[in-house]
Amino acid sequence: MVLQPASVRSNMTVVIGFEGSANKIGVGIIRDGEVLSNPRRTYITPPGQGFLPGETAKHHRSVILTVLQEALDEAGLKAEDIDCVAYTKGPGMGAPLVTVAIVARTVAQLWGKPLLGVNHCIGHIEMGRLITNAQNPTVLYVSGGNTQVIAYSERRYRIFGETIDIAVGNCLDRFARVIKISNDPSPGYNIEQMAKKGTKYIELPYTVKGMDVSFSGILSYIEDAAHKMLSTSQCTPEDLCFSLQETVFAMLVEITERAMAHCGSQEVLIVGGVGCNLRLQEMMGVMCKERGARLFATDESFCIDNGAMIAQAGWEMFCSGHVTELSDSWITQRWRQLSSSSSELSEPLVT
């Protein structure tokens, strides 16, 4: 997908985006491809615990107005400067999504601005493309709730491969709970740091089925084996982190390469919270180098859920004439239209 110049599509269009599909709550402001502000907060639970929808939503409600004011102050803007209000419509956790949708609808009505419901997945992709300048990449989208290989074809994003059970980020998070790894700043980050100290590779189930992957088997295996192996000193927690990362990332590299071959692509873009893992980027970089392709990735500022990515996708949609009517501004926890290799993720954007 090639973007038209901003001067052709809009005249300094400003979009504010609200993101809160999981344990991050963020508000970002975009003006014609420029990130003006992007504050966020993270709901962190004690080691060994995940985050429940109700408690996460309660956290979001307690801070969202503060984050909104921070976004406006950082951008140096007022309500009258905003052209459109975008929010994450889905996919994600129900209660947090509802919290954000209610605030976005309220803000849009109070300010007299049009509203746009944005697909969370597309937000990640559009933010990645904006920051890296990738033109037409094969996208590996990896996070706590999603694992998909996506490419842009015939004016729509289409899924070419994905997990058939749990997401890779969920696999890592649940393993972190087993061995009581801290959730601060995130389980995945702490697993990455521990994996750097691992020296022994433990063979784990490797499940790739065509263009798809499965992580439930490897999680069940390592959950069962972890305590036994650690209690008998067969390995260290660092060895388990290292082995888990190497195995699941190798699976992701394999299906990404297969999608590249299918699409004839010479670019890979990694997005989503797990995408800021440097070991994943390193492994994907080796594959790309062998194929003469280019790898694009971002750091945690934009890989991890944030409001600017919703604002950017909203900007794309708004500039191409899309608006969400108030009567249609509900949430969709599982925003999915089809389940085949040509699954469509969103409305077409601008070509």
Side-chain angles (χ1 to χ4, degrees), residues 140 142 146-149 161-172 174 204-222 244-255 258:
L140 175 65
V142 279
N146 300 276
T147 299
Q148 297 171 326
V149 177
E162 61 189 324
T163 176
I164 60 175
D165 40 52
I166 63 173
V168 63
N170 185 242
C171 177
L172 295 171
R174 288 168 64 178
L204 300 171
Y206 183 101
T207 310
V208 174
K209 300 183 178 182
M211 296 292 290
D212 298 327
V213 291
S214 171
F215 297 113
S216 60
I218 188 172
L219 176 63
S220 296
Y221 181 91
I222 200 169
L244 182 59
Q245 271 201 172
E246 293 298 300
T247 305
V248 298
F249 291 168
M251 292 162 59
L252 295 173
V253 171
E254 178 181 337
I255 63 170
R258 191 171 289 125

Side-chain angles (χ1 to χ4, degrees), residues 1-40:
M1 185 178 77
V2 179
L3 296 177
Q4 296 177 6
S7 59
V8 173
R9 297 196 293 168
S10 62
N11 183 21
M12 301 300 284
T13 301
V14 180
V15 177
I16 188 168
F18 292 82
E19 157 57 25
S21 59
N23 69 327
K24 309 287 191 305
I25 179 72
V27 181
I29 300 177
I30 292 282
R31 180 174 61 200
D32 288 352
E34 179 186 3
V35 180
L36 300 182
S37 61
N38 198 23
R40 70 179 170 216

Side-chain angles (χ1 to χ4, degrees), residues 63-347:
V63 300
I64 190 168
L65 295 182
T66 300
V67 178
L68 169 59
Q69 191 59 55
E70 286 181 6
L72 291 170
D73 291 345
E74 186 179 330
L77 299 178
K78 297 181 180 179
E80 53 266 31
D81 301 315
I82 304 298
D83 295 301
C84 179
V85 177
Y87 74 97
T88 301
K89 186 175 182 178
M93 301 172 69
L97 282 172
V98 168
T99 296
V100 172
I102 289 174
V103 172
R105 285 199 298 254
T106 303
V107 166
Q109 291 179 85
L110 286 174
W111 294 357
K113 307 295 181 179
L115 185 66
L116 258 174
V118 172
N119 185 296
H120 179 85
C121 312
I122 301 303
H124 274 297
I125 297 171
E126 289 305 311
M127 190 82 261
R129 290 185 63 249
L130 174 68
I131 298 301
T132 65
N133 291 316
Q135 294 302 304
N136 189 26
T138 295
V139 179
L140 175 65
Y141 171 34
V142 279
S143 68
N146 300 276
T147 299
Q148 297 171 326
V149 177
I150 301 164
Y152 197 75
S153 176
E154 298 178 359
R155 299 190 71 243
R156 290 184 185 274
Y157 283 109
R158 301 177 188 272
I159 301 168
F160 287 85
E162 61 189 324
T163 176
I164 60 175
D165 40 52
I166 63 173
V168 63
N170 185 242
C171 177
L172 295 171
D173 291 351
R174 288 168 64 178
F175 169 70
R177 295 176 211 167
V178 171
I179 60 174
K180 300 296 190 295
I181 294 176
S182 172
N183 291 324
D184 188 11
S186 71
Y189 175 81
N190 293 325
I191 287 176
E192 179 183 2
Q193 304 316 307
M194 290 178 66
K196 295 175 183 178
K197 301 175 183 177
T199 57
K200 182 179 181 180
Y201 178 76
I202 310 300
E203 188 170 348
L204 300 171
Y206 183 101
T207 310
V208 174
K209 300 183 178 182
M211 296 292 290
D212 298 327
V213 291
S214 171
F215 297 113
S216 60
I218 188 172
L219 176 63
S220 296
Y221 181 91
I222 200 169
E223 282 179 335
D224 183 60
H227 293 306
K228 296 177 183 178
M229 299 184 73
L230 292 175
S231 63
T232 56
S233 300
Q234 296 180 54
C235 65
T236 66
E238 289 77 10
D239 291 334
L240 289 175
C241 292
F242 166 70
S243 302
L244 182 59
Q245 271 201 172
E246 293 298 300
T247 305
V248 298
F249 291 168
M251 292 162 59
L252 295 173
V253 171
E254 178 181 337
I255 63 170
T256 302
E257 183 173 20
R258 191 171 289 125
M260 290 177 68
H262 177 81
C263 298
S265 173
Q266 289 297 301
E267 294 180 337
V268 172
L269 171 63
I270 306 177
V271 301
V274 181
C276 55
N277 186 296
L278 296 181
R279 178 54 182 158
L280 174 58
Q281 293 182 19
E282 180 183 18
M283 293 172 69
M284 194 69 73
V286 171
M287 181 274 287
C288 287
K289 184 177 180 180
E290 291 175 349
R291 294 183 62 87
R294 296 183 65 189
L295 172 66
F296 298 90
T298 66
D299 60 19
E300 61 88 27
S301 300
F302 299 108
C303 254
I304 296 173
D305 293 351
N306 62 90
M309 73 184 206
I310 302 304
Q312 176 60 19
W315 184 89
E316 295 276 1
M317 296 173 69
F318 184 64
C319 290
S320 57
H322 292 264
V323 171
T324 300
E325 297 298 330
L326 190 63
S327 59
D328 294 328
S329 60
W330 54 71
I331 64 146
T332 304
Q333 281 186 261
R334 298 177 181 272
W335 194 340
R336 175 79 178 207
Q337 294 173 320
L338 300 170
S339 58
S340 69
S341 61
S342 62
S343 296
E344 298 170 358
L345 269 180
S346 78
E347 293 296 321

